[in-house]
Amino acid sequence: MLMKLTMARTPNKLYANIFLSLIVCIILTIVTLSSALYASFEKIALSNIYASEKSSLSQTSYSAKSMIENSTSYALQIYADPLLDKLLHYTSPGNVETTTALTRLNAYLNMNYFIHSIYIYGKNSKTFYASTLSSGNAIQHFDDFYDADARKLIEHFSNYKRLAPIPREIPVQTPFQEVKTANVYTFVFYDLQGQSSDLDNMIMLNVPERWMKDAITSLDMDKNGSTFIIDSKGTLVTSTDTMPFLADLHEKPYVQKILNTSSSQASGYFVDQVEGVKSLVVYSKHDVTNWLFIRVLPYNTIMGKIETIKKTVLLVCFFILLIGLSISFFLSKSLYKPIEKVTSKLNVLIKEKRNNQYKLKQHFLRQLVYTSGYKKPLDIERELKEFEIAMDPASDYVLILFVIDRFDSFSRQYHFEDRVLLKYGIMNIASETFAQAGSCECIDIDEKTIAVLLNGSFQAELSWIDLVKQVQDSTDQFLNLSLSASISRTGDSLIEVSDLYSETQQQLKYKFVEGYRCILHSRQPRQQALAPFVHPNLLENNMLETLKLGKATESKKWFDEIVQTVEPPSYMVYNMLFNQLAFSLSTAAINMDRNAGLLLDHDFGSFIHHMHKLETLHDVQDHFYELIDQLCLGFKDKKSSKHDNLIVSIDTIIHQNYADRELSLFRIAEILDFTPAYLGRIFKKLTNKSIPDYLNEFRIERAKEKLISTHDSIEEISQKTGYNNSTYFYKVFKKYTGITPAEYRNNGT
């Protein structure tokens, strides 16, 4: 009996050991797989989030680049403006010259919505000339200038790089003596003569902080994290809800980690405590400004779903254990289902990783195009193998850029997803076309630009132009899109790719002159300007005069002649010329409307904004033609009203100032801002009477009233009615009345 019991217990114990061992193996297997899955998913998720947030930071850095380019353009334009030259160099410019220059400076400020204020400092006069949106004294001596930091910039100008943003908090002048400040980025431009280290003059453009804050806000759609910018010293250059502008953050541990790491790599991410909260920190360095763009995301927010998956898997394991212990070993087969579920999730993860490989490859190729000259050859070879790119780093390379023409219209016509598909179609066409010439890779550079990187042993006589035309024709035929292209020279190795990219980018500026579907290459001869461009003031005056007369056709002819003075064609010169012409047309329209007593009904800010979006010279010419037609039509409609208001204005001036002995046709023309000849001709045409005759008749009428109603002497009356002496008064009085003043008084008529 005892033996039987012992034999019964032994199989039961073995069964129990086997059962428990199986349960332990299952538990260990599930826990191991779930942990590996969680770790892999977490790593890939962080990588994807980093790539997405880095792209967002890159878009924000484009706004910084745009801010620098626009500020540079307008600083150079202001410096080259002849009306502002006297403020920069004269010791004591005249009142009229100063007023004219300040009017021009205010016009620059009003036309450029992204500028908070403009300072001009002249060393010879030791004077600041300021143009701001708030009321205040525009002319202040150096020692009295309200912006103390601006004075320090002058005194220590060599410490600051020209046309690089300087974050500052500046005071704002108010009429009520309130203490107000504004957060700005100051761009300084100064010109040192020869080897001189002594400053002659300086232009300061103050760009409001909202330029960068608006860019950050527009890209931070989900509002889950915080985006801000610091400089290389850890100073905050964009304010946030919790941190003020110019706050010192360098002592914060996560900021120190970024500052230490950014010296060796331009971007990256890590997980750290930020203000006591575990967060994902993504950073990207902007080379031009040396700023660091930082994105902080709460870790729980972005990894919440992964934590849910982890808890779910652990809960399933616990229930499997309970079911296995309670139901018996025979139900252990059901444990295959959760294992199968884990395997299925793992396969999905592998598939996602494979799909993500394309994005990582595109990112590597973009970075190669941008910074190949800074990469080590061994690192490039390793990454080429990693992404299975069949290219020889030491052989010849050619880079071809394709740009989608009329991109503004293209963006309005197609949604973002459709634009991505169309660009993918262009890349497929380019890959098939250039595959016959050697190894090639297509790179998605940005929204409107695609690059084709070619590798092989190329012959000197190989014609890339024919292949580019094939791509253009196929894209037009199958996708109904127009492309312009820029072809680089042949490079000797892969580290030259970034130089080839810069070369093609520079060549693309000639698209402005060459037009749509152009093919630009390094072998094209480019004529250089023999002398600096001089603005054609005479032609511009002729255009404005015909414009005021409502002659649209003649105005367009003068405009065409102005455009033809740019020889050889230069994008920068055209840009400066068209900005100046837009300003002149705006000023002419404002003056015409002011003289007519009417409000300006044309938005020149929108006109200039749209002008800078145009891609070719022909488009800009059509844009100006349309403006000229609108202004001429408006001038014709307002012509009669303008003339009526002009007569009223002249009559009012004479009524109010007839006793002024200096009042004359020339003085009235000066007040109304007309030439005397033009004003006299218009007045006589409308009244059949000259302005001097009308003035004398009015004065004689007032003199007749005083002769009858007062006991003043004739000498006193002549002076009170605007005549220099009684002799001339006698002569004019008799001319218009037929009798002398004394006879008129004696007769009492």
Side-chain angles (χ1 to χ4, degrees):
M1 185 69 180
L2 182 60
M3 185 178 294
K4 291 182 179 179
L5 182 61
T6 304
M7 292 176 64
R9 287 181 177 178
T10 301
N12 289 337
K13 184 177 180 181
L14 181 60
Y15 175 82
N17 290 335
I18 294 173
F19 179 76
L20 290 176
S21 298
L22 180 61
I23 294 297
V24 170
C25 290
I26 292 173
I27 292 174
L28 290 176
T29 301
I30 294 177
V31 171
T32 302
L33 288 175
S34 61
S35 299
L37 177 63
Y38 175 76
S40 299
F41 192 82
E42 181 182 30
K43 181 178 179 181
I44 294 174
L46 286 176
S47 178
N48 288 339
I49 294 171
Y50 163 65
S52 175
E53 297 299 335
K54 182 182 176 185
S55 176
S56 178
L57 292 179
S58 298
Q59 292 295 325
T60 305
S61 68
Y62 292 154
S63 298
K65 178 181 178 183
S66 176
M67 177 178 69
I68 294 172
E69 290 178 350
N70 288 336
S71 299
T72 299
S73 175
Y74 284 108
L76 295 174
Q77 187 175 350
I78 292 172
Y79 188 80
D81 195 320
L83 291 180
L84 302 177
D85 186 68
K86 294 183 174 65
L87 299 185
L88 290 167
H89 301 99
Y90 281 35
T91 302
S92 298
N95 291 335
V96 174
E97 296 165 338
T98 302
T99 301
T100 302
L102 288 176
T103 300
R104 174 61 66 89
L105 192 62
N106 287 330
Y108 277 112
L109 178 65
N110 294 329
M111 290 179 62
N112 300 313
Y113 62 90
F114 67 92
I115 296 180
H116 175 274
S117 54
I118 305 174
Y119 303 158
I120 290 182
Y121 171 73
K123 173 191 173 184
N124 293 331
S125 62
K126 293 189 73 63
T127 301
F128 276 97
Y129 301 91
S131 175
T132 65
L133 297 176
S134 59
S135 59
N137 188 3
I139 305 175
Q140 296 184 23
H141 190 268
F142 177 84
D143 297 330
D144 301 327
F145 191 51
Y146 70 94
D147 189 345
D149 283 345
R151 299 199 301 267
K152 293 180 181 179
L153 285 176
I154 297 294
E155 294 171 346
H156 306 286
F157 73 94
S158 60
N159 296 337
Y160 302 95
K161 186 179 178 181
R162 279 188 286 193
L163 296 173
I166 305 170
R168 296 197 306 127
E169 187 177 61
I170 66 173
V172 178
Q173 298 185 90
T174 63
F176 306 108
Q177 303 300 319
E178 298 181 34
V179 178
K180 289 188 176 182
T181 60
N183 301 334
V184 301
Y185 307 109
T186 299
F187 293 82
V188 298
F189 178 79
Y190 50 86
D191 188 11
L192 298 180
Q193 300 295 328
Q195 300 298 322
S196 173
S197 61
D198 191 12
L199 180 70
D200 288 333
N201 48 64
M202 181 179 286
I203 294 173
M204 298 185 188
L205 297 182
N206 295 317
V207 178
E209 180 205 7
R210 70 171 184 273
W211 177 284
M212 293 306 304
K213 291 192 68 175
D214 289 347
I216 291 173
T217 302
S218 66
L219 294 172
D220 188 10
M221 302 301 294
D222 52 12
K223 309 297 182 184
N224 287 331
S226 174
T227 304
F228 54 91
I229 307 173
I230 63 172
D231 62 14
S232 58
K233 297 180 180 178
T235 302
L236 187 67
V237 298
T238 56
S239 61
T240 67
D241 295 337
T242 59
M243 297 183 291
F245 188 67
L246 299 182
D248 188 1
L249 307 181
H250 81 279
E251 293 185 355
K252 295 183 180 294
Y254 73 96
V255 174
Q256 291 180 357
K257 185 180 293 187
I258 293 173
L259 294 175
N260 294 334
T261 309
S262 63
S263 60
S264 59
Q265 61 185 65
S267 63
Y269 73 97
F270 56 87
V271 177
D272 202 350
Q273 293 289 325
V274 177
E275 306 300 334
V277 178
K278 184 179 179 181
S279 303
L280 173 66
V281 181
V282 182
Y283 66 91
S284 178
K285 185 176 183 181
H286 188 244
D287 294 334
V288 178
T289 60
N290 212 25
W291 285 353
L292 290 163
F293 293 74
I294 302 174
R295 174 78 168 156
V296 178
L297 295 167
Y299 196 81
N300 290 336
T301 300
I302 61 177
M303 303 303 291
K305 293 183 179 180
I306 299 178
E307 291 294 336
T308 302
I309 294 174
K310 177 182 178 182
K311 293 177 180 178
T312 302
V313 172
L314 292 176
L315 187 61
V316 170
C317 291
F318 178 75
F319 277 110
I320 291 174
L321 177 61
L322 291 179
I323 293 172
L325 290 172
S326 61
I327 297 180
S328 76
F329 173 76
F330 296 102
L331 298 178
S332 61
K333 293 182 180 180
S334 62
L335 297 178
Y336 177 73
K337 293 181 179 180
I339 297 175
E340 183 183 25
K341 186 183 296 185
V342 173
T343 305
S344 177
K345 290 181 179 180
L346 188 59
N347 291 332
V348 171
L349 184 63
I350 294 172
K351 183 178 180 181
E352 290 180 353
K353 184 176 181 180
R354 188 183 303 113
N355 293 335
N356 194 45
Q357 188 77 358
Y358 174 77
K359 296 180 180 179
L360 295 175
K361 177 181 178 181
Q362 282 292 310
H363 175 72
F364 160 70
L365 290 172
R366 276 193 295 271
Q367 293 303 311
L368 185 67
V369 166
Y370 295 150
T371 61
S372 65
Y374 300 98
K375 289 180 174 287
K376 296 179 180 179
L378 292 178
D379 292 338
I380 295 177
E381 292 182 19
R382 177 180 54 79
E383 291 181 287
L384 288 175
K385 292 179 180 178
E386 179 181 346
F387 292 107
E388 299 179 355
I389 299 174
M391 287 191 174
D392 182 5
S395 62
D396 294 340
Y397 282 86
V398 171
L399 187 72
I400 302 174
L401 284 187
F402 288 100
V403 178
I404 299 174
D405 294 332
R406 301 177 181 88
F407 180 74
D408 193 38
S409 174
F410 172 73
S411 299
R412 292 193 302 269
Q413 184 178 359
Y414 298 101
H415 294 294
F416 176 77
E417 293 80 6
D418 296 333
R419 296 201 298 270
V420 171
L421 289 176
L422 288 170
K423 283 172 55 185
Y424 190 78
I426 296 173
M427 293 170 69
N428 282 338
I429 292 173
S431 296
E432 293 178 4
T433 303
F434 286 102
Q436 57 187 297
S439 299
C440 71
E441 289 289 342
C442 289
I443 310 167
D444 188 355
I445 299 295
D446 56 38
E447 285 191 318
K448 64 178 180 180
T449 310
I450 294 167
V452 179
L453 183 60
L454 300 168
N455 172 237
S457 299
F458 304 129
Q459 301 298 323
E461 63 271 15
L462 183 62
S463 175
W464 301 112
I465 296 179
D466 293 339
L467 297 177
V468 169
K469 287 181 178 178
Q470 290 181 32
V471 174
Q472 289 178 325
D473 294 339
S474 298
T475 303
D476 187 20
Q477 178 183 356
F478 297 110
L479 303 179
N480 195 27
L481 292 176
S482 172
L483 299 178
S484 294
S486 177
I487 307 172
S488 74
R489 58 180 170 82
T490 301
D492 295 329
S493 64
L494 194 58
I495 61 175
E496 289 191 61
V497 169
S498 58
D499 293 335
L500 301 180
Y501 174 73
S502 299
E503 175 184 315
T504 54
Q505 285 283 80
Q506 291 296 321
Q507 288 175 175
L508 275 176
K509 292 184 178 180
Y510 290 98
K511 172 188 173 182
F512 186 76
V513 178
E514 299 290 341
Y516 298 122
R517 280 190 60 115
C518 62
I519 301 176
L520 306 166
H521 54 84
S522 58
R523 289 175 291 177
Q524 289 174 309
R526 302 292 182 191
Q527 186 178 357
Q528 300 296 324
L530 300 178
F533 176 75
V534 178
H535 188 78
N537 292 311
L538 180 59
L539 296 178
E540 180 184 301
N541 292 335
N542 292 338
M543 180 188 70
L544 295 177
E545 287 298 325
T546 55
L547 186 71
K548 293 175 183 177
L549 297 175
K551 299 179 179 180
T553 302
E554 293 185 25
S555 297
K556 292 176 185 177
K557 290 181 180 178
W558 287 117
F559 175 83
D560 291 340
E561 290 193 24
I562 293 173
V563 173
Q564 292 172 6
T565 60
V566 182
E567 186 62 34
S570 168
Y571 174 81
M572 180 172 291
V573 175
Y574 278 127
N575 187 45
M576 295 176 60
L577 175 64
F578 290 137
N579 280 321
Q580 176 63 38
L581 291 177
F583 173 77
S584 299
L585 289 172
S586 171
T587 303
I590 291 172
N591 291 336
M592 290 290 288
D593 281 346
R594 183 187 301 142
N595 294 334
L598 300 173
L599 295 176
L600 182 67
D601 57 2
H602 190 84
D603 187 358
F604 280 92
S606 298
F607 172 84
I608 294 174
H609 180 70
H610 181 65
M611 180 184 74
H612 286 295
K613 288 186 176 182
L614 299 176
E615 301 174 19
T616 67
L617 177 60
H618 180 72
D619 289 344
V620 174
Q621 287 177 304
D622 289 342
H623 191 45
F624 270 93
Y625 287 166
E626 183 179 342
L627 174 63
I628 291 172
D629 288 334
Q630 291 177 1
L631 292 179
C632 287
L633 181 61
F635 290 157
K636 288 179 181 179
D637 292 340
K638 299 172 184 176
K639 188 174 182 181
S640 59
S641 174
K642 174 184 174 182
H643 289 162
D644 292 341
N645 292 333
L646 182 62
I647 297 301
V648 172
S649 298
I650 294 172
D651 193 59
T652 300
I653 292 171
I654 291 176
H655 276 67
Q656 294 176 351
N657 302 280
Y658 72 90
D660 184 0
R661 282 174 277 183
E662 300 297 326
L663 187 64
S664 63
L665 169 61
F666 293 92
R667 177 59 180 155
I668 295 172
E670 182 180 353
I671 294 173
L672 296 177
D673 197 20
F674 284 100
T675 62
Y678 175 77
L679 187 65
R681 183 170 66 254
I682 293 298
F683 187 86
K684 190 163 186 178
K685 179 180 179 181
L686 298 174
T687 64
N688 292 323
K689 188 181 296 183
S690 68
I691 290 179
D693 284 344
Y694 182 77
L695 176 60
N696 281 325
E697 288 180 359
F698 186 83
R699 284 173 168 171
I700 295 302
E701 289 300 321
R702 301 289 80 74
K704 288 162 66 176
E705 293 174 0
K706 295 180 185 297
L707 287 170
I708 298 299
S709 61
T710 69
H711 297 288
D712 294 342
S713 66
I714 294 176
E715 178 69 26
E716 291 175 335
I717 291 173
S718 68
Q719 294 179 0
K720 290 180 179 180
T721 54
Y723 292 100
N724 291 322
N725 56 72
S726 58
T727 302
Y728 181 66
F729 173 65
Y730 269 92
K731 181 178 179 181
V732 174
F733 192 92
K734 188 170 183 180
K735 174 182 177 183
Y736 286 95
T737 64
I739 57 177
T740 66
E743 291 173 343
Y744 184 84
R745 171 173 276 180
N746 292 335
N747 293 338
T749 57

